[in-house]
Amino acid sequence: MSLIVSNLTCEYRTNPLGIDVLQPRLSWQLESNERGTRQSAYRILVAASASYLSGGSALWDSGKVASDRSIHVRYEGPGLSSGQRLYWKVWVWDESGREAESTPAWWEMGLLERTDWQGQWIGAFFSGGPRTTSPAPYLRKEFKVTKPIASARLFATALGLYETYLNGVRAGDALLTPGWTDYGKRIQYQVYDVSDLIQAETNAWGAVLGDGWGVGHIAWVGRQRYTDRPKFLAQIILTYSDGSQETIGTDQSWKVTQGAILESDMLMGESYDARRELTGWCETGYDDASWWPAEVFEDPKDAALVATNGPAVKRQEELRPVSINKIPDFVNPRWIFDLGQNMVGWIRLCVQGKKGTTVSIRYAEVLNPDGTLYTANLRSARNTDYYTLKGGEEEIWEPHFLFHGFRYIELLGFPGTPTEETVTGIVVHSDIPQTGSFECSDPLINQLQHNIVWGQKGNFVDVPTDCPQRDERLGWTGDAQVFIRTAAYNRNVAGFFTKWTRDLEDAQFPDGAYPAVAPNPAAWAIGDGGPAWADAGVICPWTIYECYGDIGLLEARYESMQRFIEFLSQTSRNGLRCYADYTGWHGFGDWLALDGSDGREGGTSKELIGTAFFAYSSHLLAKIAGLLGRDKDAEHYNGLSRQAREAFVEHFVLPDGTIKGGTQTSYVLALHFDLLPQDLRSIAVSELVRNIEQRDNHLSTGFVGTPYLNRVLSEAGHLDTAYGLLKQTTWPSWLYSVTQGATTIWERWDGWTHDKGFQDQGMNSFNHYAYGAVGAWMYAVIGGIDLDPEHPGYKHIMMHPQPGGGLTHAKAGLYSMYGLIRSEWALQKDTFDWQITVPASTTASVYVPAKDASHVTESGHSIEKAQGITFVRMENGFAVFEVEAGSYSFSSEIDKPA
Ligand code: BGC
């Protein structure tokens, strides 16, 4: 019998180095192999050194606090200063007074003031133009340390991207640093512990800069959206053993030159000439006499320098080719490699050949019928890398400062015959740890889950992008909002959305509107996002609160959300948003729906979508206001929501109770956002079901309606219809692309069909996560793991698997803030066997399908004898129990499912 306290995190991170949250929040988990374990009290101790934790003077001692709270407990000690390292520990007591003590953890503060920065922005005198790229600047400097070192920290950022090296070794493993923010307002920096890289006496420090988002091509609007050339700002703070400190920063004493990276652009690709490598350039003793002095640039003072508050992009896994195909060409053959998976990142190339040979590497998601790459859907993104050999030994190369979205690559100009060893796929994405798993008895649904997960991997690259391949790759707000709930099952996205909701706030217009994309490059500025896009500003923080219990994020975004709802209230008319003669932006409608997505062809009208989302977002903000203790605000937003609901009924519900336009999405929104009076709900439900049946059990929803479609159906008692849609394999459906061999989610239901071939090349991504939003329903309704909004962060869990669709078993897991939630069921003839785990300090409502409660056993015992279980009621063929933390094994007799 053990009680363990583990998984100590600070602002969602384990031992974070360089944060600027002034009162960071601490979380931990309890582990126990007994039932009913829950925390009754905790004590946190924070000290300036690890040894103080075991007795000595603490900076902050919370004292023993009687509380079951184990997530997001705010540090309340004295103010923290730049660079300060804090060690902490927690003691917990369980319900019977048993005590457990954690091992120590730490966090370290970043640079809190602008004046802490002694470095200057440096770069090269050369630059590209609005359409032309320029070689990557290599920067270097040598410095001396005079005394023994206790520790060293490297602080770095860039406009553009950077990699930095000390004595030949790269600092850290983060990619695409400093990440994408609205650089005019905010630039993130990273902090590295380089204590082990500093050597006695002379040290060489180097950096190579890439164009990235700051300088290179963004979407379809060209280069230099933020600045004309890459710039680097960094400093190393050395702490000597005698306690003194010294700072070495970027300044005019640095030197700069050009090297092997002739061009590096996220959309276009990299050109690398290995003959121009600067061997030893970031090591001591390198002769830089021919290098130029670095240019010093003015500090962009309007932009805040902030610590990174989300996960870094990192390399995650490697893929081997599953086939190689030779396509003869006039001079040279083209070699097509299939990596077996539509992925995001780049390749590692192994090649041997004559000096000066250039291999071109093209990337694509799909193939033409003749086996060549299909690249028309990449639009103006060249997505091609060029590698020029230096000759001699085998050469191993990977591109820098970019990512490609692809499954296939083509090598042209390859010397000799390539093998499977020639190419390796390097998968790259934000370091969002896997939290969820889902599996069931249907292999097609499992492949769908796989595709959803890969859609998320490929599009969570510092910002949530719509797609990773064509000249777009933007943080589309609508897409993010549609997918966030599913995303939060598959991976821990709390930190990722903490960062991105700040990007969204940075991008908010002065009138309160949120844009369609964030970051929203200033000189270009895509405007008001409109219904379901702009609403991401409320829906995303709210979802992070629901899934991770993060009320701090709601607090942080509250004023911004208020400005948005005020904007809606100003621009709507008596609750109608985007009314017909509104002169502002009416939005994207039910984007890519199959029943007239722009509302003109009898589809879902934009004013209907606008009004529905106005009612929903203001309702959410009323709830948020209530949670933050702002009751007057809550009343105000409830009033706005009520008015929008009334407008919805008045304008869109016809006398017979049907909804204007009659689309699936219109019914889905009306039901999911609770916009109808009780007596009209059943009409809406039967109209929705009728519509689906009329389409021979197919959906017709676009981005807006799809996420809630199955949820609405199963909640309204039409589980069979929901399963019917999920299991549908003919177009349009979730499984259609799966049957066509998809390994990610397609942007369109009909990205490719037998009769029409490829959809419109102008907009046909094969890696767009939006329609993957059905994943949340799969976890909740098939897997049986869902949250209870009244007890966010899975403090109380709703476990309500609803077998159907002929499935015979399912298995889902979710690492919540409290630990692992598990659900695994199997259906055999007339018995239902179900194993679940409810983490310590949480409880669950458990719905066991059963004729009645007396037909349910737990671990072979009748329920009355089982510990930790209370029978509550029978409900629609389920015996409902309240259970305490622990693992349970239920078995029940059921009426044979249809
Ligand atoms: C993007 C979408 C986005 C949409 C807005 C497209 O180009 O790829 O996913 O939400 O524009 O309508």
Side-chain angles (χ1 to χ4, degrees):
M1 301 290 143
S2 60
L3 179 71
I4 297 171
V5 52
S6 64
N7 273 325
L8 274 63
T9 53
C10 170
E11 294 294 328
Y12 296 113
R13 288 191 270 173
T14 307
N15 299 338
L17 178 61
I19 62 170
D20 57 9
V21 181
L22 299 177
Q23 286 185 283
R25 296 162 308 158
L26 308 173
S27 305
W28 57 89
Q29 292 175 1
L30 266 65
E31 286 174 45
S32 148
N33 48 12
E34 283 166 59
R35 285 194 186 164
T37 302
R38 73 191 139 74
Q39 179 181 298
S40 63
Y42 69 83
R43 176 184 167 212
I44 299 171
L45 196 62
V46 179
S49 93
S51 55
Y52 283 153
L53 286 177
S54 44
S57 62
L59 267 179
W60 182 53
D61 184 345
S62 71
K64 185 171 176 178
V65 182
S67 166
D68 65 349
R69 184 144 180 218
S70 55
I71 63 171
H72 308 306
V73 179
R74 228 174 247 293
Y75 164 79
E76 278 172 0
L80 301 173
S81 52
S82 292
Q84 196 175 355
R85 159 87 64 124
L86 292 307
Y87 294 85
W88 68 287
K89 219 177 192 187
V90 60
W91 286 261
V92 301
W93 289 266
D94 71 5
E95 72 292 344
S96 61
R98 233 173 3 157
E99 181 183 319
E101 178 183 342
S102 76
T103 53
W106 55 265
W107 80 86
E108 191 172 301
M109 302 302 286
L111 298 180
L112 304 179
E113 307 288 338
R114 192 64 160 232
T115 49
D116 293 328
W117 286 89
Q118 291 176 29
Q120 293 174 297
W121 289 90
I122 59 167
F125 66 89
F126 50 85
S127 70
R131 287 286 165 189
T132 45
T133 54
S134 150
Y138 287 71
L139 293 150
R140 81 183 301 277
K141 174 195 171 72
E142 295 196 7
F143 63 92
K144 280 200 161 47
V145 297
T146 47
K147 297 184 271 186
I149 295 283
S151 69
R153 296 286 180 270
L154 193 165
F155 302 82
T157 186
L159 279 165
L161 304 175
Y162 74 88
E163 286 178 1
T164 186
Y165 298 79
L166 258 181
N167 300 314
V169 180
R170 169 121 194 254
D173 56 357
L175 302 166
L176 308 179
T177 46
W180 192 10
T181 51
D182 181 344
Y183 301 122
K185 291 194 177 133
R186 194 184 297 279
I187 306 170
Q188 301 188 123
Y189 62 84
Q190 286 75 41
V191 187
Y192 307 95
D193 182 350
V194 291
S195 312
D196 294 340
L197 300 185
I198 299 282
Q199 48 195 39
E201 302 198 8
T202 312
N203 286 268
W205 182 11
V208 52
L209 307 184
D211 284 350
W213 298 282
V215 183
H217 286 94
I218 293 184
W220 53 86
V221 291
R223 302 177 77 246
Q224 299 178 324
R225 306 317 302 183
Y226 294 96
T227 186
D228 69 339
R229 74 193 73 192
K231 295 163 189 163
F232 183 54
L233 170 69
Q235 64 191 31
I236 293 175
I237 301 184
L238 299 168
T239 305
Y240 293 110
S241 308
D242 64 9
S244 62
Q245 284 196 327
E246 185 182 348
T247 302
I248 296 130
T250 43
D251 58 20
Q252 77 294 338
S253 69
W254 284 61
K255 298 183 96 178
V256 64
T257 196
Q258 302 179 347
I261 302 176
L262 299 179
E263 167 188 41
S264 86
D265 185 280
M266 287 188 150
L267 299 180
M268 301 305 159
E270 172 164 324
S271 303
Y272 188 94
D273 186 342
R275 294 171 302 183
R276 299 172 54 121
E277 277 171 357
L278 308 164
T279 310
W281 68 279
C282 53
E283 286 162 45
T284 53
Y286 178 83
D287 179 10
D288 61 15
S290 64
W291 290 36
W292 300 288
E295 299 269 310
V296 173
F297 302 98
E298 223 177 289
D299 184 24
K301 286 211 174 53
D302 294 342
L305 284 177
V306 298
T308 306
N309 69 345
V313 177
K314 293 196 175 167
R315 59 177 66 220
Q316 305 285 343
E317 55 195 296
E318 300 194 347
L319 300 181
R320 308 289 325 156
V322 296
S323 72
I324 310 173
N325 243 322
K326 181 177 174 179
I327 300 197
D329 211 320
F330 297 117
V331 192
N332 257 319
R334 294 172 187 271
W335 298 98
I336 310 282
F337 289 71
D338 178 2
L339 288 160
Q341 172 62 51
N342 199 13
M343 57 161 279
V344 171
W346 53 76
I347 60 138
R348 179 163 61 232
L349 177 71
C350 296
V351 57
Q352 192 165 17
K354 251 188 36 217
K355 184 174 179 173
T357 310
T358 296
V359 182
S360 85
I361 305 136
R362 291 203 303 147
Y363 297 78
E365 294 183 292
V366 282
L367 296 180
N368 288 308
D370 66 358
T372 56
L373 297 193
Y374 176 79
T375 55
N377 68 333
L378 305 178
R379 306 195 307 216
S380 74
R382 191 187 74 205
N383 270 334
T384 308
D385 298 334
Y386 299 96
Y387 180 78
T388 303
L389 281 74
K390 58 188 164 204
E393 305 278 283
E394 184 181 57
E395 300 173 40
I396 297 174
W397 168 82
E398 292 179 22
H400 313 73
F401 304 124
L402 50 70
F403 59 90
H404 300 292
F406 64 101
R407 169 174 169 169
Y408 302 94
I409 67 133
E410 177 204 84
L411 300 185
L412 183 65
F414 187 84
T417 304
T419 68
E420 274 183 19
E421 307 305 314
T422 303
V423 162
T424 307
I426 310 291
V427 177
V428 160
H429 56 80
S430 283
D431 205 15
I432 41 175
Q434 182 181 347
T435 46
S437 58
F438 173 90
E439 203 187 297
C440 69
S441 55
D442 184 329
L444 292 180
I445 298 176
N446 293 343
Q447 181 68 35
L448 173 65
Q449 166 66 14
H450 170 100
N451 295 2
I452 295 170
V453 167
W454 275 87
Q456 178 165 0
K457 289 181 187 181
N459 284 297
F460 277 48
V461 181
D462 205 54
V463 301
T465 55
D466 56 333
C467 57
Q469 73 298 81
R470 68 179 177 222
D471 58 354
E472 186 136 6
R473 312 183 190 185
L474 297 170
W476 283 97
T477 48
D479 307 42
Q481 171 274 112
V482 161
F483 188 62
I484 185 172
R485 183 72 185 84
T486 297
Y489 273 111
N490 291 326
R491 302 252 157 182
N492 185 334
V493 295
F496 182 84
F497 277 105
T498 301
K499 184 238 172 216
W500 186 73
T501 55
R502 187 174 70 184
D503 295 339
L504 189 48
E505 182 171 336
D506 282 346
Q508 189 170 24
F509 293 99
D511 63 6
Y514 288 116
V517 298
N520 196 7
W524 158 37
I526 293 190
D528 172 15
W533 269 251
D535 297 80
V538 178
I539 294 171
C540 292
W542 172 256
T543 307
I544 296 302
Y545 162 75
E546 281 192 313
C547 298
Y548 304 94
D550 192 341
I551 202 157
L553 186 65
L554 298 180
E555 258 158 24
R557 303 282 167 263
Y558 186 66
E559 272 177 40
S560 163
M561 295 191 269
Q562 283 190 294
R563 279 189 281 129
F564 169 61
I565 297 296
E566 275 324 304
F567 166 78
L568 297 188
S569 121
Q570 296 295 319
T571 52
S572 58
R573 184 189 284 161
N574 301 325
L576 267 192
R577 175 179 175 194
C578 300
Y579 49 89
D581 53 343
Y582 172 56
T583 51
W585 172 237
H586 289 232
F588 298 100
D590 187 16
W591 188 244
L592 301 186
L594 298 169
D595 49 19
S597 67
D598 65 1
R600 271 174 297 170
E601 300 159 31
T604 316
S605 79
K606 290 180 179 174
E607 62 178 348
L608 182 149
I609 297 174
T611 305
F613 272 85
F614 183 21
Y616 182 55
S617 290
S618 49
H619 167 70
L620 291 184
L621 192 56
K623 289 217 254 192
I624 294 166
L627 286 166
L628 300 181
R630 296 167 181 259
D631 296 342
K632 269 200 94 110
D633 290 359
E635 237 173 79
H636 172 61
Y637 300 126
N638 269 326
L640 292 178
S641 182
R642 209 174 312 120
Q643 194 184 26
R645 290 175 58 176
E646 284 164 9
F648 186 92
V649 176
E650 187 186 328
H651 290 268
F652 307 118
V653 180
L654 301 171
D656 63 357
T658 61
I659 293 180
K660 249 193 209 166
T663 61
Q664 293 178 11
T665 290
S666 61
Y667 287 109
V668 166
L669 295 185
L671 289 162
H672 189 69
F673 294 165
D674 199 12
L675 305 178
L676 301 174
Q678 213 43 44
D679 55 320
L680 293 180
R681 285 183 68 88
S682 57
I683 302 177
V685 170
S686 41
E687 283 302 305
L688 173 61
V689 172
R690 198 164 65 93
N691 185 313
I692 293 166
E693 284 169 356
Q694 268 174 357
R695 293 171 185 271
D696 197 16
N697 294 318
H698 288 90
L699 49 73
S700 62
T701 48
F703 280 27
V704 171
T706 301
Y708 314 124
L709 177 58
N710 267 16
R711 163 77 57 164
V712 159
L713 288 167
S714 56
E715 278 178 1
H718 290 271
L719 187 66
D720 288 352
T721 312
Y723 270 109
L725 289 179
L726 181 69
K727 296 202 67 178
Q728 181 60 262
T729 51
T730 56
W731 177 83
S733 67
W734 285 289
L735 293 187
Y736 169 69
S737 61
V738 170
T739 63
Q740 301 310 304
T743 57
T744 39
I745 300 292
W746 293 356
E747 175 173 25
R748 295 174 177 271
W749 296 119
D750 57 347
W752 186 87
T753 56
H754 288 271
D755 45 337
K756 289 185 295 194
F758 289 117
Q759 245 280 10
D760 173 12
Q761 64 185 45
M763 227 191 60
N764 197 19
S765 146
F766 292 95
N767 195 355
H768 235 73
Y769 53 56
Y771 287 148
V774 69
W777 184 85
M778 286 157 43
Y779 273 100
V781 176
I782 305 177
I785 299 178
D786 203 353
L787 51 77
D788 174 353
E790 297 303 315
H791 304 276
Y794 297 90
K795 180 77 177 147
H796 180 251
I797 308 156
M798 303 303 287
M799 305 192 76
H800 188 176
Q802 297 168 62
L807 298 182
T808 52
H809 64 84
K811 186 173 166 179
L814 175 64
Y815 278 95
S816 69
M817 291 294 287
Y818 296 95
L820 178 65
I821 306 166
R822 211 173 53 91
S823 163
E824 183 172 354
W825 58 259
L827 203 56
Q828 259 165 10
K829 286 199 194 111
D830 48 6
T831 57
F832 182 79
D833 292 314
W834 189 20
Q835 272 94 46
I836 65 166
T837 301
V838 176
S841 262
T842 70
T843 54
S845 294
V846 170
Y847 290 66
V848 186
K851 285 183 190 158
D852 61 59
S854 67
H855 286 88
V856 183
T857 61
E858 193 283 312
S859 299
H861 304 294
S862 72
I863 287 294
E864 296 83 59
K865 297 216 178 95
Q867 189 207 332
I869 306 177
T870 314
F871 173 66
V872 186
R873 62 177 180 276
M874 282 303 295
E875 186 184 308
N876 299 330
F878 290 84
V880 186
F881 303 96
E882 272 306 305
V883 309
E884 298 176 346
S887 290
Y888 301 84
S889 178
F890 292 101
S891 199
S892 71
E893 264 179 53
I894 49 169
D895 293 323
K896 214 167 175 275

